[in-house]
Amino acid sequence: MSTVHATAALLPEPALLRAHLRALAVLDGAIGDDPRSTRYRFDAGWGPGQEAALMENGSGDEFSVLFTPAGVLIRGFDHESQMSPHATDDERVWPGVIDDVPSALRPLLDEPAFHDEGLGTPRVTACLWRETGDTAWRTGPDIGFPSGSPDPDGSGHLFRLLTDRSPEAVQAHFEDHYERPVPLEAVRHVLAGHPLTPETARALNPAALSDEALLGRIAAHPEVASYLVCDGEFDPDRTDPIESITLPAGLPAEPVAGCGAGGTHYLCGPAAPDGARPVLYTDSEGRASLIAESLAEALTLFIALPSWHDALAGFRPPALNADYLEDNPDHPAVRDRLLAALRLPPATDAEVLSRLLTTAARTVPDGFLPSVRDEEDSAFEPMLRLPAE
C-alpha cells in the first residue's frame, strides 16, 4: 500500500525538494505549447517570505508544497479518494490526516485557494510537513486508511515525481503527458539546476522557439513590440535594408527587422522548420557582426542587454548598461516580464554578454562578414572591438 508514510521516507531534504520542484515547473513551461495549461508551477511570491510549488492535473487532483520560514507543508488532494472530504458523510478531513500538523504550519491550510466554496475544510487527502530545524518529514501517525485501494490517500500518484526524481521518470512523465518525445539530456540539464538556455528550450520544444512563433508573439504582444522597437532597435516592420548584401560562403541572408538608425538584422542560412538561424546585424556605417546563434537568442540579447552595441565596442561591466539602468531602474522587472511573454528562458547580463562575444568572434573566420552585393572591395568592417587595456 502506498501512503504518506511511504512518501515521507522517500522525500529529499527541503532544499533539494525545492530545487526539484522548480525544475519540474521549468520543464513543464518549456515543453508545453501553452504556459497557461502547465501542470507544474512555482510561485516565488506566494506570500510574505513564502514560496509555493503547485501541481494540478486538470482532472481534480492537485498538490501544493509551501516553503516558509517556519518550515514546509505538503498538501495533496486525490479527488477520487475515499478520504476526500467530499466522500465523507460529515464533509470533514479524514481523521488523522492534519490533526498533528504543528501550529506554526497549520494556518497554511486555511489558504482560500485550497478550499471549495461551501466546504469548511481544506481539500486534502494527504499531508506531510517538516518544521525548520527538523530532521525528518512528518505525517499523521495514526491515520486509519480505508481498505481496498493500493493508493488510498493518492500520495502514490500525486507525489510520484517527488519520490522518484530520476531524469528517466521525469522524461517518461512528460512524454506521456504531451504525447511526443522529450530529449533525456535536456531533462538532465534542467534537473541538474543548470540555466534553461535557448538551446535547451528549443530541444524541449522546437516549435515554441521557431522564428515564426517568436515573430507571432511579438506581433501579438504590444508591450514586447514597443520595447523592441524603441529600446531593442528591432522593428519587424523594417525589412528593407539600405543596401543588399552577400555573404562570403554564399549563404542566404533574410532581412527580419531593422532599426531607426538604418541598421538591419538578418537571419542567415536556409530556412528550415523549427531550425535556428544565426542573426547578423549591419549598421548604416558599413559595420557588421553576428550577434546571436538564433532569433530566440537575439531577442534575449535585446531585452536583457539593451546596450549590446557598447559591448561590441569594448565596454564591459560595470560601465556597460549603467546609463540605461540609471534611466530605467525598473528594467530587471521589465526584462523578466518580456522574456516570459515571449516564452524565452530567464537570462542574466553575464550570460547574455558571454554569448554575444563568443558569437561575434566568429563573424570573420566563419564567413559571415558581408559585402555589398555586386560591388568590389565593399566588405563591411567587423563591429567587435577588444576592451582598451
Side-chain angles (χ1 to χ4, degrees):
M1 179 184 292
S2 178
T3 69
V4 286
H5 298 317
T7 299
L10 296 172
L11 289 177
E13 295 290 315
L16 294 177
L17 179 63
R18 177 182 177 276
H20 183 70
L21 285 161
R22 287 180 65 92
L24 291 178
V26 169
L27 284 167
D28 206 356
I31 297 169
D33 294 319
D34 185 352
R36 295 169 298 181
S37 64
T38 56
R39 287 189 174 190
Y40 290 89
R41 295 185 292 123
F42 195 94
D43 187 342
W46 180 258
Q50 298 179 3
E51 297 179 317
L54 307 169
M55 189 286 293
E56 297 180 18
N57 69 0
S59 299
D61 299 332
E62 63 186 49
F63 72 63
S64 60
V65 184
L66 303 183
F67 297 88
T68 78
V72 184
L73 180 78
I74 302 176
R75 175 198 61 90
F77 178 66
D78 176 359
H79 79 288
E80 293 186 344
S81 169
Q82 296 179 54
M83 298 171 62
S84 166
H86 295 285
T88 60
D89 293 335
D90 58 2
E91 295 188 332
R92 307 295 295 175
V93 175
W94 191 268
V97 172
I98 62 173
D99 296 350
D100 294 281
V101 174
S103 58
L105 299 175
R106 185 61 179 259
L108 299 173
L109 291 168
D110 297 330
E111 166 63 46
F114 306 150
H115 287 246
D116 290 328
E117 186 176 355
L119 191 67
T121 56
R123 294 187 306 275
V124 57
T125 57
C127 189
L128 305 95
W129 58 89
R130 185 158 170 169
E131 291 186 273
T132 300
D134 203 349
T135 58
W137 291 97
R138 310 294 179 184
T139 69
D142 300 315
I143 305 172
F145 297 101
S147 60
S149 170
D151 189 13
D153 59 3
S155 58
H157 73 273
L158 288 171
F159 306 131
R160 183 169 56 84
L161 292 188
L162 308 189
T163 55
D164 183 354
R165 299 175 298 282
S166 67
E168 291 78 11
V170 174
Q171 177 199 37
H173 165 80
F174 285 117
E175 287 190 334
D176 179 68
H177 178 58
Y178 288 107
E179 298 182 338
R180 55 183 169 81
V182 174
L184 182 59
E185 283 308 307
V187 173
R188 291 185 191 276
H189 176 92
V190 176
L191 290 180
H194 300 306
L196 180 64
T197 63
E199 294 79 11
T200 306
R202 183 175 293 103
L204 291 167
N205 186 347
L209 294 186
S210 68
D211 298 341
E212 181 180 3
L214 288 167
L215 291 172
R217 289 192 200 107
I218 293 171
H221 201 292
E223 184 187 11
V224 172
S226 176
Y227 173 91
L228 288 174
V229 170
C230 297
D231 294 44
E233 299 184 15
F234 182 90
D235 185 352
D237 291 332
R238 292 177 178 265
T239 55
D240 186 16
I242 295 175
E243 299 171 306
S244 296
I245 65 168
T246 183
L247 298 179
L251 291 174
E254 175 190 348
V256 67
C259 68
T264 303
H265 299 276
Y266 296 87
L267 297 175
C268 301
D274 305 333
R277 289 183 284 174
V279 179
L280 175 75
Y281 176 76
T282 61
D283 67 15
S284 60
E285 299 178 7
R287 297 175 299 186
S289 180
L290 274 182
I291 60 172
E293 301 297 345
S294 66
L295 181 58
E297 195 174 292
L299 294 173
T300 302
L301 171 67
F302 306 148
I303 292 171
L305 197 69
S307 300
W308 62 271
H309 285 274
D310 294 338
L312 292 178
F315 286 83
R316 297 292 181 269
L320 182 64
N321 246 21
D323 290 343
Y324 183 87
L325 290 174
E326 183 176 350
D327 294 336
N328 301 273
D330 62 339
H331 176 67
V334 173
R335 172 199 62 202
D336 294 346
R337 186 167 66 248
L338 298 186
L339 289 176
L342 289 173
R343 295 197 60 196
L344 292 169
T348 65
D349 293 359
E351 293 166 351
V352 172
L353 175 61
S354 176
R355 290 201 295 257
L356 169 65
L357 299 178
T358 299
T359 300
R362 73 182 192 88
T363 303
V364 176
D366 289 359
F368 286 94
L369 189 67
S371 300
V372 178
R373 186 179 298 277
D374 299 328
E375 290 189 18
E376 295 184 3
D377 301 322
S378 60
F380 284 61
E381 292 291 325
M383 294 179 70
L384 180 63
R385 296 287 185 268
L386 296 177
E389 296 293 339

